[in-house]
Amino acid sequence: SNKLENELGTNRKLADSDGDGLSDSEEYNLYKTNPLAPDSDGEGLSDGEEIKKYKTNAYKSDSDGDGISDALEVQKFQTDPNKADSDGDGLSDNDEIVTHKTNPLKADSDGDGLSDGDEVNKFKSNPLAMDSDGDGLMDGDEAKKYNTSLLKPDTDGDGLTDKQEVLEYKTNPSNADSDTGTVPDGVEVKRGTNPLDANDDLETEEKIKGAVGTEIVLEGIVFDTGSAKIKAASQETLDKVAKTLLENPEISVEVQGHTDSKGSRASNLKLSQSRAESVCKYLQDKGIDASRMVAKGMGPDRPVASNDTAEGRQQNRRITFTRTK
């Protein structure tokens, strides 16, 4: 009525005194906004825009309570002024924009497979870095695929990065000693033993001092092709064996020679016997009493791998020690 308009101070000749897109009647009776102020909550959007276009609260500057005014959300950040967390990642728009500098319109700002909210709240990783610890694995893969730490490049502290373990050596990045043989994976890789084979964890001299009947492969014993002549590269290993036997005079051993299946069995038996004898002779020259050693040629009779491949044949050509006393 004209009387009420006079009381309110609105213009009786204009249906919309403040020109905000809402009639004075709508403002006063329906929306409870100020018919004399085009922007009742003073945040930068007209009452008409808030109510008709954005469906926001015209008398509340921050409709969703996320800490950012409705005007900034629609005009600057393009976020949803009616949702405190526009991208549904678990972080409010304000936290993303002000605190974490992440994208409030993208649930996974760095594209690593984890939502920004999970990175910040659950894993404490960097939502702006795909690989928070710089180990070469994406945070998402570490969390979901490998169960490794997103903040430590070497989760188990074995001297190998998580990436080296899972992609290069196929070891367990959460277990410092994947083969449970007492030597950490990193140490094995550095010294050239297999971190997935517990049998090679102990050094040769420790194995020789093991239980009677225990057979060990002497890694690094090589001969000239088709010959029993020991190559110089074998010296380091054999010298360790000699030192152990000298320090432990109670130990006696059987030295066994093994070959692959190429050639006749008779020739392989002869060659394996000669190689076993060459090892015994080397140790004898280092001061080991001959009575403590027995040479035995096994030929091709005890393969440990297939003779159908070069790799398998290489494994079958070996010298083993068995403690007999």
Side-chain angles (χ1 to χ4, degrees):
S1 67
N2 290 338
K3 180 181 178 182
L4 182 55
E5 293 225 57
N6 285 332
E7 291 176 1
L8 295 174
T10 51
N11 191 331
R12 291 179 298 165
K13 295 182 180 181
L14 292 175
D16 178 8
S17 296
D18 56 11
D20 61 2
L22 298 176
S23 71
D24 296 340
S25 174
E26 287 177 313
E27 297 218 54
Y28 180 76
N29 293 312
L30 185 59
Y31 302 117
K32 312 304 179 185
T33 49
N34 187 347
L36 294 174
D39 178 9
S40 294
D41 54 15
E43 99 289 49
L45 296 177
S46 71
D47 295 342
E49 286 181 309
E50 294 222 53
I51 291 171
K52 294 183 176 181
K53 184 176 182 180
Y54 301 115
K55 313 301 181 185
T56 48
N57 190 328
Y59 49 85
K60 186 178 179 184
S61 61
D62 179 9
S63 295
D64 56 13
D66 62 1
I68 303 174
S69 71
D70 297 340
L72 284 176
E73 294 223 49
V74 300
Q75 294 172 349
K76 183 176 181 179
F77 302 118
Q78 286 75 56
T79 47
D80 189 339
N82 288 306
K83 289 177 63 178
D85 178 9
S86 293
D87 55 13
D89 61 1
L91 298 176
S92 72
D93 295 341
N94 185 64
D95 283 343
E96 297 223 50
I97 292 168
V98 177
T99 305
H100 305 296
K101 314 301 181 186
T102 47
N103 188 339
L105 296 174
K106 189 177 179 184
D108 178 9
S109 293
D110 55 12
D112 62 1
L114 297 176
S115 72
D116 297 338
D118 280 347
E119 295 223 50
V120 170
N121 298 319
K122 183 177 181 181
F123 299 108
K124 314 302 180 187
S125 51
N126 187 346
L128 293 173
M130 297 177 69
D131 178 10
S132 294
D133 56 13
D135 62 0
L137 298 176
M138 285 203 307
D139 292 342
D141 286 342
E142 294 220 56
K144 298 177 179 179
K145 188 174 181 181
Y146 304 119
N147 296 316
T148 48
S149 170
L150 283 65
L151 302 176
K152 290 173 62 178
D154 177 9
T155 298
D156 55 14
D158 62 1
L160 299 176
T161 66
D162 295 339
K163 179 182 179 181
Q164 286 179 307
E165 297 225 48
V166 300
L167 299 181
E168 186 174 350
Y169 300 111
K170 313 302 182 186
T171 47
N172 186 342
S174 296
N175 185 341
D177 181 13
S178 294
D179 59 16
T180 65
T182 73
V183 179
D185 297 340
V187 174
E188 292 220 55
V189 168
K190 187 174 181 180
R191 76 184 190 185
T193 52
N194 186 351
L196 294 174
D197 181 5
N199 293 320
D200 64 6
D201 277 28
L202 291 177
E203 294 285 0
T204 298
E205 51 266 43
E206 290 300 317
K207 292 179 181 178
I208 291 173
K209 290 189 290 184
V212 172
T214 300
E215 180 181 285
I216 64 168
V217 178
L218 283 189
E219 304 284 354
I221 305 300
V222 289
F223 301 87
D224 287 343
T225 303
S227 165
K229 183 179 179 180
I230 299 173
K231 287 190 173 183
S234 309
Q235 181 176 340
E236 181 179 355
T237 298
L238 288 174
D239 285 351
K240 287 182 179 180
V241 173
K243 180 175 181 294
T244 301
L245 292 176
L246 285 171
E247 292 174 350
N248 299 272
E250 75 283 2
I251 294 177
S252 295
V253 295
E254 180 177 271
V255 182
Q256 301 168 342
H258 302 264
T259 67
D260 58 36
S261 62
K262 295 193 72 173
S264 69
R265 181 174 182 276
S267 62
N268 280 323
L269 281 171
K270 182 179 179 180
L271 178 60
S272 63
Q273 180 67 34
S274 297
R275 287 180 170 176
E277 290 172 355
S278 290
V279 170
C280 289
K281 177 64 168 57
Y282 183 98
L283 296 174
Q284 189 175 347
D285 290 343
K286 293 293 180 178
I288 309 303
D289 193 303
S291 64
R292 298 172 60 194
M293 300 177 289
V294 174
K296 187 172 183 179
M298 309 302 292
D301 295 345
R302 291 176 58 185
V304 293
S306 171
N307 280 300
D308 294 332
T309 66
E311 182 181 6
R313 290 192 294 273
Q314 176 63 45
Q315 293 180 53
N316 290 332
R317 297 191 294 269
R318 66 194 190 281
I319 292 291
T320 60
F321 267 46
T322 300
R323 182 175 175 181
T324 58
K325 180 181 176 184

